[in-house]
Amino acid sequence: MGNPKGFMEVGRKESGYRPISERVDDYGEVEQTLNEGDRVLQASRCMDCGIPFCHWACPVGSKIPEWQDAIYKGEWKLASDILHSTNSFPEFTGRICPNPCEKSCVLAIHDEAVTIRENEASVVEKAFAEGYIQPRIPVRRTGKKVAIIGGGPAGLSAADRLNQMGHTVTVFEKDEAVGGLLRFGIPDFKLNKKVIDRRIDIFEKEGIIIKTNQYVGFDVKGAQLLKDFDAVVLAIGAMQPRDLPVEGRELKGVHFAMEFLTQQNRVNRGQKFAAKDRIDVKGKNVLVIGGGDTGSDCVGTSNRQKAKSVTQIEILPKPPVKRADENPWPYWPTTLKTSSSHSEGCDRQWSLSTKRFIGQGGTLKQVELVEVEWSKDENGGWKMNEKAGSEKIVDVDHVFLSMGFVHAIHEGIVKEIGVDTDQRGNLKIDGNYQTSVDKVFAAGDSHNGASLVVTAIQKGKEAAINVDNFLMEKE
Ligand SMILES: Cc1cc2nc3c(=O)[nH]c(=O)nc-3n(C[C@H](O)[C@H](O)[C@H](O)COP(=O)(O)OP(=O)(O)OC[C@H]3O[C@@H](n4cnc5c(N)ncnc54)[C@H](O)[C@@H]3O)c2cc1C
């Protein structure tokens, strides 16, 4: 710990966002960066507590106090090495992690947390700029071959670890580029896709084989992979969206959020869509149903497309601004979150349920909403009641269903090779990350349910360790 008084002398300083008037006209990253001097000061606020709750709260177990100290001392390479020891992609988490570490920072008990996420992004960008991050070609190969199905953060994290262990890794990805939801879900204004390409370029130099446009279960059969590889890791995500089966769901204008976000990300990559297929909300009234990250990304994308109005509704009540008594530090705070997209313009409403979509000639025109109240039933479970007489009809042209994801898609590889699923529809694994099918493992959202990038990275790491044990025990 370089400066024992840093937390008393230096206040939290965030890098902030580009001005709204500028950023809503493009898809460039909204977040800015601090200069190096300020960044070092921010790192000096870390108290190197006896028990680093930040480390406890971080799914990848980042050694946060250690690399804050390295930043403070100007040892950027060391900071980068410590970061990479637990996380293959600090450039992703440094940009888009909701930073549970900061919520658990001891400073956050009575003061403002260390800017851990921003510090992480600064370290990894400095490390790239200085050339500290170079391909690490494994010196020894085991002769074992592993197929990773799915090139999202979980699959790529597993691929990196297994490759560094000396196994020969091939990633099969159904889309035209790897990255999973980082690439085609999360908008460019949160994560510039060149950041993914930069890392993939290094992975390929390190020997990872990446095969895109390979939909396993369809283009390539799982049975064939089981013959050709010593182990298979299913990192296929949890991409089955939660639907809203109410009257009018079939109307033109009611979309899953991912149809909108994926298309805009592809347009930003230069792909062209016929006008009839393009989801263009310019001059239109948009309703986003679901108050989470995906919904917020639809808000930001709608504002960039110049929607006439953007409303986001949530069925749950408005969360408190400050932690409630039953939700104390150091746990994840269930408080109101306002994203950069929300501050660009959005009418946010809570405790609203959707009764039906109303159309004309097959096209969405209006939606009927009703206010709801939440109470506890006799078993202590939450019960939702519609408030009589609170129904209202609202004009709307496009609805984006952003109510989360239920589980992995079962059509294709899961059904083809007969992987068991649990009662929620996630891939079932044992304590060694093995599925019900011999030599088939699972990683990330596919077995864990829809979660976070940082969790997917950790699950990929853990799956890799178990695959390695499995392969090497067979020696
Ligand atoms: C819109 C949106 C915004 C989000 N924002 C954030 C955020 O800000 N911060 C955060 O931490 N998390 C965020 N998340 C969650 C995060 O993106 C996911 O938890 C994470 O990407 C899961 O990683 P994964 O590798 O398990 O799965 P995915 O990222 O879903 O990757 C799965 C990959 O498998 C491929 N695949 C599937 N089936 C096959 C097959 N049969 N053959 C070949 N390939 C296949 C898919 O094409 C995909 O590339 C967001 C999610 C969404 C939808």
Side-chain angles (χ1 to χ4, degrees), residues 224-270:
Q224 188 61 45
L225 297 186
L226 288 175
K227 277 195 205 133
D228 295 347
F229 290 85
D230 300 298
V232 172
V233 180
L234 298 176
I236 58 177
M239 293 197 163
Q240 187 71 50
R242 183 166 287 113
D243 208 345
L244 187 58
V246 296
E247 184 187 326
R249 167 65 184 88
E250 74 294 346
L251 291 168
K252 190 164 181 289
V254 182
H255 321 268
F256 281 122
M258 283 298 289
E259 296 172 39
F260 180 50
L261 297 174
T262 300
Q263 190 185 76
Q264 185 58 54
N265 275 327
R266 288 203 158 102
V267 168
N268 294 350
R269 281 170 63 80

Side-chain angles (χ1 to χ4, degrees), residues 101-340:
C101 53
E102 292 186 28
K103 312 302 187 285
S104 301
C105 172
V106 175
L107 266 183
I109 300 176
H110 69 287
D111 197 355
E112 291 180 306
V114 175
T115 52
I116 302 169
R117 181 186 58 76
E118 290 187 19
N119 292 0
E120 180 177 36
S122 292
V123 169
V124 67
E125 288 312 313
K126 172 97 174 163
F128 271 110
E130 296 291 333
Y132 301 149
I133 301 175
Q134 293 294 334
R136 301 153 304 151
I137 319 280
V139 285
R140 185 187 67 96
R141 286 290 176 189
T142 61
K144 305 282 183 191
K145 295 197 309 180
V146 184
I148 310 270
I149 319 304
L156 293 174
S157 169
D160 178 35
R161 301 272 157 176
L162 287 162
N163 184 53
Q164 291 300 322
M165 290 164 183
H167 307 303
T168 302
V169 178
T170 307
V171 177
F172 292 85
E173 168 54 52
K174 73 175 169 52
D175 289 332
E176 65 273 34
V178 290
L181 290 173
L182 290 170
R183 168 89 57 186
F184 292 115
I186 295 174
D188 288 12
F189 56 81
K190 276 166 64 181
L191 177 75
N192 185 317
K193 305 311 180 240
K194 285 186 184 151
V195 173
I196 308 175
D197 297 336
R198 179 176 65 180
R199 183 63 73 169
I200 296 306
D201 186 45
I202 292 179
F203 277 8
E204 290 191 306
K205 289 186 176 125
E206 290 174 341
I208 297 176
I209 303 156
I210 295 191
K211 296 192 171 182
T212 51
N213 294 312
Q214 303 278 308
Y215 201 165
V216 177
F218 300 99
D219 302 323
V220 195
K221 284 293 178 191
Q224 188 61 45
L225 297 186
L226 288 175
K227 277 195 205 133
D228 295 347
F229 290 85
D230 300 298
V232 172
V233 180
L234 298 176
I236 58 177
M239 293 197 163
Q240 187 71 50
R242 183 166 287 113
D243 208 345
L244 187 58
V246 296
E247 184 187 326
R249 167 65 184 88
E250 74 294 346
L251 291 168
K252 190 164 181 289
V254 182
H255 321 268
F256 281 122
M258 283 298 289
E259 296 172 39
F260 180 50
L261 297 174
T262 300
Q263 190 185 76
Q264 185 58 54
N265 275 327
R266 288 203 158 102
V267 168
N268 294 350
R269 281 170 63 80
Q271 195 172 327
K272 299 266 184 287
F273 288 86
K276 68 173 180 33
D277 299 325
R278 181 83 173 105
I279 306 174
D280 182 356
V281 304
K282 185 173 179 186
K284 306 286 185 190
N285 294 310
V286 169
L287 177 71
V288 178
I289 302 182
D293 268 348
T294 307
S296 157
D297 291 346
C298 289
V299 169
T301 304
S302 299
N303 277 325
R304 279 161 183 72
Q305 286 194 6
K306 308 296 174 214
K308 182 174 165 195
S309 74
V310 184
T311 305
Q312 184 179 24
I313 61 167
E314 166 59 53
I315 201 164
L316 294 170
K318 185 174 181 178
V321 176
K322 292 205 160 161
R323 285 177 183 274
D325 288 346
E326 64 275 12
N327 177 219
W329 179 93
Y331 296 105
W332 175 258
T334 47
T335 50
L336 180 68
K337 290 176 186 71
T338 302
S339 69
S340 61

